[in-house]
């Protein structure tokens, strides 16, 4: 017998929760071919095709390949572990539902899954915020006091050496704008409030920050 | 064109970071349909933010996979996105096909409905009727899972089955999913119950792993129960509950 999930509970202040002990091993998904002996993106595209035709075995393989990515980013944004488990499961079911709508020409399967997972996580966090009827200003104050800590922890907790290195290559404001939005689920308006920076500046920093990250990581589509 | 359109060209980064609110996101989605430059930029930025996601990957909780695999049994897949003309209702598509497809659909229904042997009859009209019911069941399950206010509760039954209830207050419906459910044994079935202030009302039968819509009125119920009952079910529980899951208030 389980207790109901803590839905509608006010979003806790910006604090990165420990996620299950120090010995936990992250398993970043490979984007290049064959890292850790896992399937390369092209193999996943083929798997997606089978999933789109209702192949449960292919979906089982897809689950194994994508669940760490999905659960990781959901947990990062939602923070509450029980809620994150629910959201991650909903995302995986959604990948099954939407499999036929995946278009390889629009990006890799990982990118598609990360986009859906991040969106669901953000939706959960924002609806929880709305339910708690939280004051915008209050949120901004909390973010302001915590963003230094967040930026610092984001760096030390990243498993991917390349991502860590590329984030370090951003200016302070670029890095804060990118990580507050993506890892904390803030809108660019909230980011602007949290960093006490004009809206157009934040938009621009997000853009040139992502351009720098893109080039540093050698991302192509 | 107008102020809004000019502004849209600058939003690909915020879009890829998930930093737009709902309305802005919809507007930008629409903008992407017509702006190749933004589409290209958004795709590259999304590939970039996906790396940020991969950098925080975490092993998913054990048991989650079994629940997801059981849940998708009852979830109908969406057709590929096609131009408007192709967007005929799926039900119509099913009814246009011949009896083979209908029997197939009925089999899917048999799985979704917990093993009721619905395809023994040969009458095509009945098959169509059953296919229609099957499709409605699957649509109902999908609708609950996709409801914006859907809430999920997980449980573990005394017999080891992993269970999930997804409920939507808006739709006043709930679905129940079981994974690793042991066979009920000859002449027996599992029965679901909705607890209304201590009164257990029958909410359907389930015989093996899969997903079913709970019959009744989940909005007023405080919990979902599961018992082992004689074939065909009972008006009231006759055995101790294997599971009692509190529903979200
Ligand atoms: Zn544009």
């Amino acid at each position: 017998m389980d207790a109901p999930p803590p839905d509608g509970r006010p979003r806790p202040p910006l604090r990165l929760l420990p996620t299950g002990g120090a010995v936990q091993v992250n398993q970043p998904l490979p984007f290049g071919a064959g890292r850790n002996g896992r399937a390369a993106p092209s193999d996943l595209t083929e798997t997606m095709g089978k999933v789109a035709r209702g192949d449960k075995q292919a979906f089982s393989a897809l689950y194994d390949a994508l669940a760490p990515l999905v659960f990781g980013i959901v947990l990062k944004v939602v923070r509450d572990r029980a809620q994150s488990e629910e959201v991650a499961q909903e995302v995986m079911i959604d990948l099954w539902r939407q499999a036929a709508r995946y278009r390889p020409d629009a990006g890799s399967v990982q990118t598609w899954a990360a986009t859906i997972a991040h969106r669901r996580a953000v939706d959960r966090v924002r609806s929880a915020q709305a339910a708690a009827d939280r004051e915008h200003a209050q949120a901004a104050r909390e973010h302001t006091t915590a963003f230094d800590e967040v930026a610092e922890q984001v760096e030390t907790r990243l498993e991917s050496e390349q991502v860590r290195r590329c984030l370090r290559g951003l200016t302070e404001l670029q890095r804060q704008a990118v990580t507050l939005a993506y890892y904390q689920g803030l809108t660019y308006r909230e980011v602007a409030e949290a960093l006490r920076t004009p809206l157009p500046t934040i938009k621009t920093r997000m853009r040139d920050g992502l351009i720098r990250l893109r080039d540093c990581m050698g991302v192509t589509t | 064109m107008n102020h809004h359109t000019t502004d849209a060209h600058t939003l690909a980064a915020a879009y890829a970071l998930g930093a737009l609110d709902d309305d802005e996101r919809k507007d930008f989605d629409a903008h992407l349909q017509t702006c190749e430059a933004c589409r290209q930029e958004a795709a590259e930025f999304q590939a970039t933010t996906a790396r940020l996601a991969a950098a925080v990957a975490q092993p998913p909780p054990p048991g989650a996979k079994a629940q997801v695999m059981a849940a998708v049994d009852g979830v109908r897949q969406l057709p590929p996105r096609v131009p408007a003309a192709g967007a005929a209702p799926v039900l119509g598509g099913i009814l246009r096909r011949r009896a083979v497809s209908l029997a197939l659909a009925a089999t899917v229904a048999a799985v979704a409905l917990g093993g009721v042997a619905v395809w023994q009859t040969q009458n095509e009209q009945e098959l169509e009727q059953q296919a229609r019911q099957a499709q409605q069941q699957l649509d109902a399950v999908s609708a609950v899972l996709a409801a914006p206010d859907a809430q999920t509760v997980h449980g573990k039954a005394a017999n080891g089955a992993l269970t999930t209830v997804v409920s939507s207050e808006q739709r006043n419906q709930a679905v129940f999913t079981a994974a690793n459910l042991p066979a009920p044994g000859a002449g027996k079935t599992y029965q679901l119950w909705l607890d209304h202030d201590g009164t257990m009302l029958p909410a359907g039968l389930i015989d093996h792993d899969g997903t079913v819509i709970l019959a009744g009125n989940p909005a007023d119920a405080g919990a979902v129960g599961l018992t082992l009952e004689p074939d065909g079910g009972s008006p009231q529980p006759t055995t101790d509950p294997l599971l009692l899951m509190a529903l979200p208030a």
Side-chain angles (χ1 to χ4, degrees):
Chain A
M1 174 161 63
D2 277 10
D7 274 332
R9 206 170 61 177
R11 193 181 180 196
L14 273 190
R15 195 166 60 80
L16 298 174
L17 297 175
T19 50
V23 292
Q24 194 151 41
V25 179
N26 287 352
Q27 298 180 307
L29 284 172
F31 277 78
R35 195 185 149 200
N36 299 336
R38 289 200 188 204
S42 58
D43 297 337
L44 274 189
T45 304
E46 215 170 282
T47 307
M48 276 304 294
K50 292 181 189 161
V51 172
R53 293 190 292 278
D55 184 334
K56 289 280 297 281
Q57 223 174 341
F59 182 67
S60 172
L62 190 77
Y63 184 98
D64 293 341
L66 293 180
L69 167 76
V70 165
F71 184 58
I73 189 56
V74 168
L75 185 62
K76 189 80 187 167
V77 173
V78 174
R79 295 199 288 275
D80 178 89
R81 195 166 179 96
Q83 287 201 52
S84 299
E85 290 180 6
E86 290 165 29
V87 172
Q89 289 201 25
E90 287 164 17
V91 170
M92 294 311 300
I93 292 170
D94 216 30
L95 298 185
W96 164 264
R97 281 181 73 238
Q98 296 200 48
R101 305 209 160 165
Y102 166 66
R103 287 178 27 249
D105 55 316
S108 73
V109 174
Q110 285 90 343
T111 295
W112 181 70
T115 302
I116 291 175
H118 187 262
R119 192 165 290 186
R120 279 261 191 172
V122 159
D123 285 348
R124 171 63 69 103
V125 160
R126 291 186 192 156
S127 65
Q129 272 176 316
D133 202 15
R134 222 166 78 146
E135 289 281 319
H136 228 88
Q138 172 68 18
R141 269 197 299 280
E142 283 175 9
H143 297 150
T144 312
T145 53
F147 74 74
D148 284 336
E149 183 195 351
V150 167
E152 189 184 322
Q153 292 195 28
V154 156
E155 268 201 18
T156 54
R157 289 172 34 78
L158 287 179
E159 276 297 310
S160 160
E161 177 56 42
Q162 187 197 39
V163 170
R164 195 159 51 217
R165 180 171 54 77
C166 290
L167 275 173
R168 255 187 248 126
L170 302 185
T171 70
E172 191 65 14
L173 193 57
Q174 284 173 340
R175 191 163 52 97
Q176 283 162 354
V178 165
T179 55
L180 282 175
Y182 197 68
Y183 286 144
Q184 305 298 309
L186 303 196
T187 65
Y188 68 87
R189 281 191 195 81
E190 289 171 325
V191 172
E193 283 177 51
L195 299 177
R196 300 186 200 286
T197 306
L199 219 50
T201 311
I202 287 300
K203 278 200 238 175
T204 312
R205 292 295 88 83
M206 284 178 169
R207 185 159 184 279
D208 50 36
L210 277 191
I211 287 172
R212 203 180 274 196
L213 278 182
R214 178 196 68 192
D215 295 346
C216 175
M217 293 170 182
V219 169
T220 52
T221 52
Chain B
M1 217 159 66
N2 55 32
H3 164 76
H4 188 83
T5 316
T6 345
D7 201 33
H9 291 299
T10 64
L11 288 178
Y15 175 80
L17 287 166
L20 299 181
D21 67 31
D22 262 4
D23 289 342
E24 291 167 328
R25 183 162 82 195
K26 282 187 191 111
D27 287 351
F28 194 72
D29 272 325
H31 175 71
L32 287 180
Q33 300 298 311
T34 62
C35 182
E36 172 60 29
C38 282
R39 199 156 58 228
Q40 178 64 26
E41 194 173 56
E44 288 175 5
F45 286 162
Q46 282 182 328
T48 305
T49 55
R51 302 277 193 105
L52 296 177
V56 294
Q58 289 275 333
K65 183 175 180 182
Q67 298 205 356
V68 168
M69 294 305 291
V72 298
D73 274 337
V75 176
R76 184 163 62 80
Q77 292 181 296
L78 298 174
R81 222 185 283 280
V82 285
V90 174
L91 181 56
I94 282 186
L95 293 180
R96 272 196 302 278
R97 280 177 230 137
R98 301 314 299 166
V100 177
S101 317
L102 294 170
L104 253 180
T107 311
V108 173
V111 173
L113 298 173
V116 188
V118 287
W119 68 333
Q120 283 164 352
T121 157
Q122 298 300 314
N123 180 299
E124 186 163 339
Q125 252 188 338
E126 272 180 48
L127 276 174
E128 287 205 4
Q129 170 71 14
Q130 283 154 7
R132 193 160 32 232
Q133 283 170 354
Q135 191 60 53
Q136 283 165 358
Q137 275 283 340
L138 296 181
D139 284 345
V141 169
S142 304
V144 174
L145 295 177
D149 69 332
Q151 298 202 71
T152 308
V153 198
H154 303 297
K156 189 170 179 183
N159 60 5
L162 297 170
T163 60
T164 302
V165 172
V166 182
S167 58
S168 160
E169 206 172 358
Q170 267 174 25
R171 306 190 60 88
N172 192 19
Q173 275 186 322
V175 300
F176 176 89
T177 293
N180 301 332
L181 192 65
K188 294 198 168 126
T189 183
Y190 292 106
Q191 187 162 9
L192 290 156
W193 307 90
L194 285 173
D195 177 10
H196 293 269
D197 295 326
T199 308
M200 301 300 255
L201 297 180
L205 307 176
I206 183 166
D207 279 344
H208 55 65
D209 287 356
T211 301
V212 293
I213 288 266
L214 289 174
N217 191 10
D220 296 341
V224 171
L226 183 74
T227 61
L228 197 58
E229 300 293 333
D231 249 350
S234 311
Q236 290 141 28
T238 63
T239 61
D240 287 339
L242 296 161
L243 170 82
L244 206 57
M245 289 166 82
L247 286 169

